[in-house]
Amino acid sequence: SFQTLWAYILPALDKIMLP
Amino acid sequence: APAIDMQLYAGIHSACYNYITTQSTDTHKPDANSGSDIYNQLDKYFSELARSILSGLDTPDNSAEETELLARLLPAFQRFSSGAQTVNRLLNYVNRHYVRRAIDEDKGWLGMHDVMADFVRSPSAPSPLSIEEEKAARMASIAKLLGSPRSTGINLTTVTDDSPSRETLAQKYRERKVAVLATWGYDPNASDSGSSSGTAFRSTTTLAEAEAAAEAASESGRVILIGSLAHRRFRFDCVEPLLAIPKGVKKKGKKKKKNGGQGQGTEVAEDEKLAEGLAGVSLQAGGASSQAAGSSSSQAGGSSSQIGGSSTQQQDLPGPKGRLARAVKHLLEVDERPETERIRIAGELADMLRKVGVKIDHPLRKKLESFVVG
């Protein structure tokens, strides 16, 4: 589902985007 | 931004692939719709991040704002922007699958309908059909005309259709695109189209850079590459609030724009006048549907009565009232650091404004660029 996908992507986004 | 390891990259790529392909077979919806949820969620993510950067710019002591604002904003933007480029690569599958398809369907930053709006109004193209009929007929063939504008710049020359109007349309599209990209610094005749030198201010802009800025300048309804999507969100949710003129007593960080404009008198007029300078709306007034959420000042489109209506009001202001404008005034006129340092900062800020899609005719961009060049 989308939730599962997003749960997978989100940590990567945070790692890349957050200072 | 930190590098992403290959395994994670591959994992996310396959996860997106699996999700998008599974979704399209399950729902029997057109392929172009799949991926929109990822795209919209990303937009939300960038929005929240840009807002948190904006709120992080507040100082406990208002008096330090003018000296501190740029010192905090510019590194935060650099970090955000380089992260956005990484995310753009990480989610390239979404770019290829969803964004490219949307562009093919004329939902990109420069749509064929933008060009046609000019074309059907042109006296040199008289038609027995009504404008609406004409438009509808031409819209039907647009998808074929729009090849892959990003990859090659414009590849419409390959269209081998017997209709002369298609040729004309393709030509109009090319001309329009070149004209818009020129406003973002791209010079198709420049011999040096490579990457810029190490100077604080670049004299040449590559096609990709100009197109990325043009994308970031678009309205929120337009589908653009993920990297540009992040920059557009940074404009909506961080830069535009900093450029906005606060109403009445200044309240930091919380400025709401009233788009309706009924009965608000000069304050609304001033805000909308400012908004005109912000987004690349005027070149794209094609009536694309904008999302209601968070698109702020770019929604002020259509308020053409404001163009001539409020010019005198701004001249009455004693000094810049927007937070960013005050910081720039301080940098250019008061700051005692060496000039080279101030030019470097001004160059970085000018670069930021261009990247997020603030148009060249915005007063602040003009001021910064003339300081850097002069």
Side-chain angles (χ1 to χ4, degrees):
Chain A
S1 73
F2 178 71
Q3 297 307 326
T4 314
L5 175 73
W6 191 250
Y8 186 50
I9 294 176
L10 188 59
L13 286 182
D14 284 344
K15 189 181 167 199
I16 293 164
M17 297 296 296
L18 297 184
Chain B
I4 351 159
D5 68 63
M6 209 49 213
Q7 225 171 357
L8 182 62
Y9 176 86
I12 286 180
H13 186 92
S14 337
C16 289
Y17 172 86
N18 289 335
Y19 175 73
I20 287 176
T21 50
T22 308
Q23 191 197 39
S24 61
T25 43
D26 278 358
T27 60
H28 302 290
K29 279 182 182 167
D31 272 345
N33 285 338
S34 60
S36 64
D37 40 11
I38 304 176
Y39 189 82
N40 292 333
Q41 192 67 32
L42 275 171
D43 197 26
K44 231 166 111 183
Y45 179 87
F46 292 135
S47 174
E48 281 164 14
L49 189 52
R51 281 165 208 256
S52 78
I53 289 172
L54 177 66
S55 61
L57 298 173
D58 288 340
T59 43
D61 177 8
N62 276 2
S63 64
E65 159 115 343
E66 286 174 347
T67 51
E68 292 299 309
L69 184 68
L70 295 179
R72 287 193 308 273
L73 173 65
L74 291 173
F77 174 71
Q78 302 288 4
R79 183 71 177 74
F80 181 92
S81 182
S82 87
Q85 292 317 310
T86 305
V87 173
N88 191 60
R89 287 193 297 276
L90 180 71
L91 295 176
N92 199 35
Y93 183 78
V94 180
N95 276 334
R96 287 215 314 269
H97 181 88
Y98 174 72
V99 178
R100 280 285 284 282
R101 273 171 182 272
I103 291 169
D104 289 349
E105 292 179 350
D106 207 28
K107 294 174 189 161
W109 69 270
L110 179 63
M112 187 57 96
H113 57 267
D114 297 325
V115 178
M116 288 208 318
D118 288 353
F119 189 73
V120 294
R121 278 197 299 266
S122 164
S124 65
S127 166
L129 301 172
S130 75
I131 285 178
E132 284 308 311
E133 287 168 327
E134 177 97 354
K135 195 170 176 179
R138 290 210 168 104
M139 283 299 275
S141 62
I142 281 172
K144 287 181 203 162
L145 279 169
L146 291 169
S148 46
R150 169 159 279 272
S151 60
T152 56
I154 307 105
N155 71 352
L156 297 172
T157 47
T158 56
V159 172
T160 52
D161 197 288
D162 50 6
S163 165
S165 70
R166 293 185 184 192
E167 271 301 306
T168 316
L169 265 175
Q171 178 65 25
K172 290 270 176 201
Y173 185 87
R174 275 194 297 273
E175 288 169 4
R176 179 67 170 268
K177 187 164 182 177
V178 167
V180 177
L181 292 180
T183 70
W184 295 104
Y186 175 62
D187 179 4
N189 300 316
S191 54
D192 175 21
S193 61
S195 60
S196 62
S197 63
T199 54
F201 187 73
R202 58 190 68 196
S203 57
T204 59
T205 304
T206 65
L207 177 63
E209 287 171 333
E211 189 157 357
E215 284 182 317
S218 63
E219 303 158 64
S220 65
R222 304 296 179 104
V223 179
I224 54 181
L225 291 179
I226 289 166
S228 305
L229 180 71
H231 284 145
R232 186 168 69 186
R233 267 298 158 202
F234 199 84
R235 175 166 61 86
F236 288 155
D237 293 323
C238 187
V239 174
E240 288 188 358
L242 290 174
L243 290 170
I245 298 164
K247 299 185 209 315
V249 180
K250 190 183 64 140
K251 279 187 183 173
K252 295 184 71 175
K254 296 231 170 185
K255 291 160 208 131
K256 291 211 170 143
K257 216 171 282 286
K258 288 177 182 167
N259 286 332
Q262 59 272 57
Q264 291 298 317
T266 60
E267 290 177 355
V268 169
E270 280 169 13
D271 269 12
E272 292 198 356
K273 179 171 172 57
L274 183 76
E276 278 162 26
L278 297 177
V281 178
S282 64
L283 284 163
Q284 307 175 349
S289 60
S290 300
Q291 295 163 3
S295 66
S296 69
S297 66
S298 62
Q299 297 244 336
S303 60
S304 59
S305 62
Q306 300 292 342
I307 289 170
S310 57
S311 60
T312 52
Q313 288 148 6
Q314 253 198 356
Q315 289 163 8
D316 297 338
L317 301 173
K321 293 232 167 120
R323 293 174 70 186
L324 201 52
R326 282 203 317 277
V328 167
K329 189 180 166 68
H330 186 274
L331 175 72
L332 304 193
E333 297 170 19
V334 183
D335 201 316
E336 289 177 346
R337 281 176 288 181
E339 194 176 20
T340 49
E341 175 70 356
R342 292 188 294 133
I343 287 176
R344 185 189 63 76
I345 295 169
E348 263 184 40
L349 183 59
D351 208 43
M352 182 199 85
L353 294 176
R354 184 177 57 80
K355 278 183 180 162
V356 303
V358 174
K359 291 201 300 180
I360 185 62
D361 56 5
H362 189 281
L364 206 59
R365 265 199 73 185
K366 281 200 246 179
K367 194 173 177 180
L368 283 166
E369 305 214 355
S370 67
F371 177 73
V372 171
V373 171

